[in-house]
Amino acid sequence: MKQAVVLMAYGSPERLADVPAYYSDIRGGRPIAPENLADLVERYRRLGIEDSSPLNAITERTRAALEHELGLPVFTGMKHWTPRIADAAGAAVAAGAGEIVGLVLAPHYSALSIAGYREQLESALAGLAELQFVESWHDEPGFVELLAGRVRGTDAHVVFTAHSLPARILAAGDPYRDQLLETSRLVADAAGLGAWSFSFQSESPTGEPWLGPDILEHLEALRRQGVERVLVCPVGFVSDHLEIRWDLDVEAREKAAELGLELERIEMPNADPEFVRTLASIVRRALRVPSAA
Ligand code: FEC
């Protein structure tokens, strides 16, 4: 039976004119305050998306490299922009795939995150191909080692981060926060880190409580504890995009400068060949193919 991969990512607008439709997709049609839309357009303007949209470009490089590594067709599907997850599923089926691995470029499961990717893929496939969906890969040894390699030997305090979610997920027994803390602990152990902590980032203005602490408050707390240097290691994202280049590289850096803290962040995995080999081993396991290594 022919096999294929649907590689999924969040998606990002290509043009400033796309931002209202993109934001509306993220909100699932719920109302958007005009000031929030204006603020988002301004962040994308400052990110320079009219010249190049980093998330979409990196996802395409990752797709091409994964396809080469696996020797299987890999199709990109975006959760909130084009090409949509349904487009990727349709292309895989049209190419004759009878078994499809669904892999999200986000390592941690949440009902408010990965489940949405799964629903889009399942409903597009509608039973036309067998689906092997990867729910999470937060403790994948290659991923842990890649991040450990980027923080090993630092004398800075390492702050692991991930996207926040509404705090109500905890009452529903969602594994998201536990998986994030597990990745952080595994990376810290593998790198032999002395001083590290975890904080959330990128909370949205939705009017309900979100998981904390947020990185901006966390930097204040670290400074009060006498920390002078911080190395930020995002574990919940794998690419350069708005949440990295704005929320960390602009907002967190500005806060650190105000506090007199030195702040650096690791290079994201993006389409690094070591990361692509890790994604390939996750796909091979889902297909029950013996590892090439
Ligand atoms: O570079 C880019 O253009 C896209 C960057 C981007 C990534 C990303 C990842 C995650 N999000 C997650 C959850 C939520 C929830 C809401 C929400 C809202 C936004 C908005 C933008 C945005 N997110 Fe996102 N997210 C990215 C971008 N996200 C833009 C809307 C404006 C704003 O709040 O700044 C709230 C939805 C609502 O209002 O109801 C919840 C999670 C991830 C990590 C997993 C993944 O990548 O899928 C979780 C990248």
Side-chain angles (χ1 to χ4, degrees):
M1 182 161 37
K2 275 197 177 175
Q3 297 169 323
V5 179
V6 171
L7 183 69
M8 291 167 278
Y10 202 81
S12 183
E14 297 278 345
R15 298 273 164 265
L16 292 181
D18 298 337
V19 176
Y22 171 73
Y23 199 176
S24 163
D25 194 277
I26 292 176
R27 294 283 298 157
R30 281 169 296 132
I32 297 172
E35 62 275 20
N36 291 346
L37 176 59
D39 176 65
L40 187 60
V41 171
E42 179 59 12
R43 279 183 278 149
Y44 277 113
R45 192 184 65 72
R46 292 184 59 181
L47 187 67
I49 58 160
E50 294 274 345
D51 298 323
S52 100
S53 183
L55 179 61
N56 296 347
I58 291 162
T59 307
E60 170 51 24
R61 290 211 306 277
T62 310
R63 184 207 65 74
L66 183 61
E67 187 167 83
H68 184 259
E69 181 73 28
L70 286 167
L72 287 178
V74 179
F75 300 91
T76 300
M78 300 295 192
K79 191 181 196 186
H80 294 298
W81 202 240
T82 56
R84 307 294 312 207
I85 291 172
D87 300 332
V93 170
E99 184 175 22
I100 291 174
V101 175
L103 177 62
V104 183
L105 286 170
H108 305 86
Y109 183 85
S110 169
L112 290 188
S113 144
I114 303 299
Y117 289 88
R118 183 178 195 139
E119 278 160 27
Q120 288 192 29
L121 183 54
E122 275 179 347
S123 83
L125 286 177
L128 293 172
E130 194 180 326
L131 175 62
Q132 311 298 348
F133 189 87
V134 179
E135 296 243 308
S136 76
W137 44 277
H138 66 287
D139 54 358
E140 184 68 24
F143 178 56
V144 169
E145 188 41 47
L146 182 141
L147 295 181
R150 293 183 185 193
V151 296
R152 190 172 283 126
T154 184
D155 59 0
H157 178 105
V158 174
V159 178
F160 297 104
T161 67
H163 204 293
S164 184
L165 279 175
R168 64 184 143 87
I169 66 166
L170 295 184
D174 195 280
Y176 185 66
R177 187 173 68 174
D178 287 348
Q179 289 189 358
L180 290 166
L181 294 173
E182 174 76 354
T183 306
S184 307
R185 188 188 59 73
L186 289 169
V187 173
D189 287 355
L193 294 183
W196 65 273
S197 52
F198 175 86
S199 75
F200 286 99
Q201 59 165 93
S202 312
E203 181 176 318
S204 273
T206 59
E208 64 179 324
W210 284 56
L211 295 171
D214 182 80
I215 184 155
L216 302 183
E217 294 158 21
H218 187 55
L219 292 176
E220 288 175 4
L222 289 175
R223 192 70 189 105
R224 282 196 299 275
Q225 290 160 27
V227 170
E228 292 177 349
R229 279 187 308 287
V230 162
L231 177 61
V232 179
C233 176
V235 295
F237 304 112
V238 297
S239 307
D240 282 320
H241 46 56
L242 187 73
E243 317 299 70
I244 299 294
R245 297 227 191 134
W246 181 263
D247 298 1
L248 295 179
D249 293 356
V250 177
E251 282 186 345
R253 260 181 217 280
E254 278 174 9
K255 170 59 92 175
E258 260 170 45
L259 295 167
L261 260 179
E262 270 176 43
L263 183 145
E264 296 295 333
R265 76 158 164 89
I266 63 155
E267 284 296 308
M268 300 304 288
N270 292 326
D272 184 318
E274 185 185 344
F275 180 55
V276 172
R277 284 194 292 277
T278 296
L279 296 175
S281 28
I282 297 169
V283 170
R284 288 194 194 98
R285 193 170 330 113
L287 290 171
R288 299 165 304 279
V289 173
S291 170

